[in-house]
Amino acid sequence: MLTKLTEYVQQTRPTAMLLALAVILFLVIFFIKYKRDMAPRMGTLEWIRNYDKPAFSLDGRRFSMDKRDVVPLLSLILIYGVVAFTQLGTSKAPQSFYTFEGDNYSVIIDLGEERELSQVMYYTGLYPGDYDFYYSNTGTSWVRVTDPNATAQDTGNDAAMHQSYADLFKWQYISKGEGNFSGRYLQIIARTVPMELGELALYDGEGNLLDVSGVDSVLLDEQDTVPQSPSWLNSMYFDEIYHGRTAYEHIKNIYPYEITHPPLGKLLIALGIQIFGMTPFGYRFMGTFFGVLMLLPLYILLKNMFGKTRVALCGSALFAFEFMHFTQTRIATIDTYGVFFTLLSFLFMWRWISEPYDRRLGQTWGNLALCGLSFGIGCACKWTVLYAGVGLAVLWLLRVIMKYRAVGLSGYGKELLGTVLLSCLFFVVIPAAIYCLSYIPYGLACGYSFPELLGQ
């Protein structure tokens, strides 16, 4: 395979090099022609326009929202909201879990009579591990079901029920060979503890969901949540196995599994779970809601910058239905919150740098404070928001330089000092405080109380 790949690269290298040279030559010719076409024509007075352009300035360059923006903005939010929340995920999922812990590492289910089973589906909960699955007619002599896909190298790992870290809060089928089996009693033994199991779905010999209404078991008490088959609509997928799980762990006051990003984004996901339950709709709700909500600051920012309703509407619509935005906001991950607060911070930064130069710091510090607050909240959601701080710093410096040029040092010296001091407060002290406070759930999960976490 490697030899064939090497031969292919050697064969296509000359063609690729010629194509690259052709592209470079085209770009050079294009920009040379563009420069000539944009230059003043001989025998005309077009050169005069080069001296009529006013110097670039941000003095009062902010266009306000008006009545013409209400209908386009609300229409866009409504349309996108309907599309975003459609088929977001089921609002039904097992909420009661059987916990295998300590000496309680097994459970036996009495079906009341011998039943023929063709397949078993199960819904996983917290904690990774494996289960052994047994069936019996007497309750004393048990037959263990083994994973038919296990190889000789999988000795000791041939369990029929798997619950790896990537399989939590998912519907899965028990791994077994071809054919049905019969039994009155079912036994599940956890190989490691603690582990959580949500629900079982038993299918009879003809593949129909078995009626277990008379069976007393926490693993068979939510049969209305059983789907036709596992899918992204009823199970976690992609990075939800990290962030959605961690949000649930924060609710349960459990030290989180995923600690590669700050906690605030997961706490926002947890808010949706608190409202709608630990369901796909519940742990995806807040991300989708923020995905709809972020159209508001983007629209306002575009209108403030360009002053045209059609520009703001077009830019917001392109962003709304761009596939990355649509997909990411419908998954229980933390990227949505970082983007939302980044947009919000740049909106407030633009509103600050576009203030008229004759306005003093006491009249403009509010936008600067809201910008720093949004930046701090974003950093507490995901560290990538720190990169946005570079852009904010460039815009901040641009405002300072341009106002200094406009009013001079004598009229700007004291205000500049105040701006620097307030900026340190808004962009360093407050964000650092928000970031540290977002880790309170970690301390609570370790057994600390609020007074201890606050150093009292």
Side-chain angles (χ1 to χ4, degrees):
M1 182 67 181
L2 183 60
T3 304
K4 291 182 179 180
L5 182 61
T6 304
E7 292 177 354
Y8 175 77
V9 172
Q10 291 176 346
Q11 292 173 359
T12 57
R13 183 180 297 172
T15 303
M17 293 181 64
L18 288 174
L19 181 61
L21 289 173
V23 171
I24 294 173
L25 181 61
F26 170 79
L27 292 174
V28 171
I29 295 174
F30 172 81
F31 283 110
I32 291 176
K33 181 172 174 42
Y34 176 79
K35 184 177 181 181
R36 289 180 178 177
D37 290 343
M38 295 301 294
R41 290 175 294 176
M42 296 295 295
T44 70
L45 297 178
E46 289 183 354
W47 60 272
I48 296 178
R49 67 184 180 184
N50 295 332
Y51 299 94
D52 293 337
K53 295 180 180 179
F56 175 75
S57 174
L58 293 174
D59 186 11
R61 284 183 59 86
R62 185 203 304 169
F63 303 93
S64 301
M65 298 279 287
D66 54 50
K67 294 180 179 180
R68 293 174 297 177
D69 296 299
V70 175
V71 173
L73 177 57
L74 293 182
S75 299
L76 177 62
I77 291 176
L78 178 62
I79 293 171
Y80 179 74
V82 171
V83 174
F85 279 103
T86 299
Q87 292 290 297
L88 181 62
T90 180
S91 58
K92 287 185 176 182
Q95 300 298 298
S96 60
F97 293 87
Y98 186 90
T99 304
F100 299 83
E101 58 184 349
D103 296 331
N104 186 35
Y105 57 86
S106 68
V107 61
I108 296 177
I109 301 173
D110 183 1
L111 299 178
E113 60 181 340
E114 183 179 347
R115 300 290 185 93
E116 182 182 10
L117 301 177
S118 61
Q119 189 57 273
V120 178
M121 191 165 63
Y122 62 101
Y123 186 77
T124 58
L126 271 182
Y127 309 111
D130 295 307
Y131 303 98
D132 284 314
F133 183 81
Y134 296 82
Y135 63 92
S136 170
N137 287 323
T138 63
T140 55
S141 178
W142 298 91
V143 178
R144 186 167 76 96
V145 178
T146 58
D147 186 352
N149 299 315
T151 63
Q153 288 76 23
D154 294 329
T155 303
N157 193 29
D158 58 349
M161 299 173 64
H162 303 286
Q163 187 169 303
S164 70
Y165 76 95
D167 296 325
L168 304 188
F169 300 100
K170 291 183 178 181
W171 284 101
Q172 299 189 108
Y173 289 106
I174 285 182
S175 300
K176 67 179 188 63
E178 297 294 332
N180 303 341
F181 60 90
S182 298
R184 172 178 174 175
Y185 300 95
L186 305 178
Q187 182 177 200
I188 300 174
I189 300 177
R191 291 190 174 184
T192 58
V193 291
M195 290 179 67
E196 287 184 354
L197 193 60
E199 191 75 7
L200 295 178
L202 310 177
Y203 296 89
D204 61 21
E206 297 179 356
N208 300 315
L209 187 63
L210 198 66
D211 181 10
V212 293
S213 55
V215 180
D216 182 18
S217 174
V218 70
L219 294 177
L220 296 171
D221 64 342
E222 296 177 281
Q223 292 292 287
D224 61 322
T225 65
V226 176
Q228 291 186 348
S229 62
S231 74
W232 62 271
L233 286 170
N234 52 59
S235 303
M236 283 189 172
Y237 74 110
F238 191 54
D239 279 358
E240 291 180 338
I241 62 173
Y242 303 115
H243 303 141
R245 168 188 173 176
T246 301
Y248 181 71
E249 288 170 332
H250 284 321
I251 294 174
K252 295 296 183 180
N253 200 30
I254 299 172
Y255 193 82
Y257 168 75
E258 186 275 311
I259 57 174
T260 55
H261 293 288
L264 189 54
K266 276 88 74 173
L267 293 174
L268 291 173
I269 296 175
L271 182 59
I273 297 174
Q274 293 276 40
I275 299 173
F276 298 102
M278 186 56 183
T279 66
F281 185 86
Y283 49 72
R284 294 170 189 162
F285 173 82
M286 290 302 293
T288 308
F289 175 73
F290 271 78
V292 176
L293 195 63
M294 70 173 64
L295 299 180
L296 183 61
L298 176 61
Y299 187 100
I300 297 174
L301 175 60
L302 292 173
K303 182 61 186 289
N304 285 176
M305 291 179 66
F306 299 103
K308 296 181 178 180
T309 297
R310 60 179 180 271
V311 173
L313 178 61
C314 182
S316 301
L318 288 173
F319 176 76
F321 295 102
E322 193 270 331
F323 293 147
M324 181 65 75
H325 168 260
F326 180 74
T327 301
Q328 284 283 2
T329 57
R330 284 165 48 89
I331 303 176
T333 58
I334 58 177
D335 304 82
T336 301
Y337 311 108
V339 175
F340 174 81
F341 288 108
T342 296
L343 279 174
L344 206 59
S345 64
F346 275 94
L347 169 62
F348 290 121
M349 176 57 74
W350 177 262
R351 294 178 67 84
W352 180 71
I353 68 174
S354 60
E355 291 278 7
Y357 291 156
D358 59 357
R359 300 193 68 183
R360 309 298 294 178
L361 180 60
Q363 299 172 296
T364 65
W365 69 270
N367 285 318
L368 198 62
L370 291 173
C371 177
L373 180 64
S374 302
F375 173 70
I377 296 174
C379 290
C381 291
K382 192 170 184 180
W383 285 320
T384 52
V385 179
L386 285 170
Y387 295 117
V390 178
L392 294 174
V394 171
L395 293 176
W396 182 93
L397 186 61
L398 180 64
R399 162 75 180 189
V400 169
I401 292 174
M402 297 193 74
K403 184 166 183 178
Y404 167 74
R405 286 182 175 181
V407 302
L409 183 61
S410 60
Y412 190 46
K414 292 182 179 180
E415 183 179 341
L416 177 59
L417 178 61
T419 301
V420 172
L421 294 176
L422 283 179
S423 297
C424 290
L425 173 65
F426 297 150
F427 292 95
V428 179
V429 178
I430 292 179
I434 295 173
Y435 182 83
C436 292
L437 290 173
S438 71
Y439 278 88
I440 286 178
Y442 284 39
L444 296 176
C446 291
Y448 293 98
S449 63
F450 270 109
E452 291 174 322
L453 292 172
L454 296 177
Q456 298 178 3

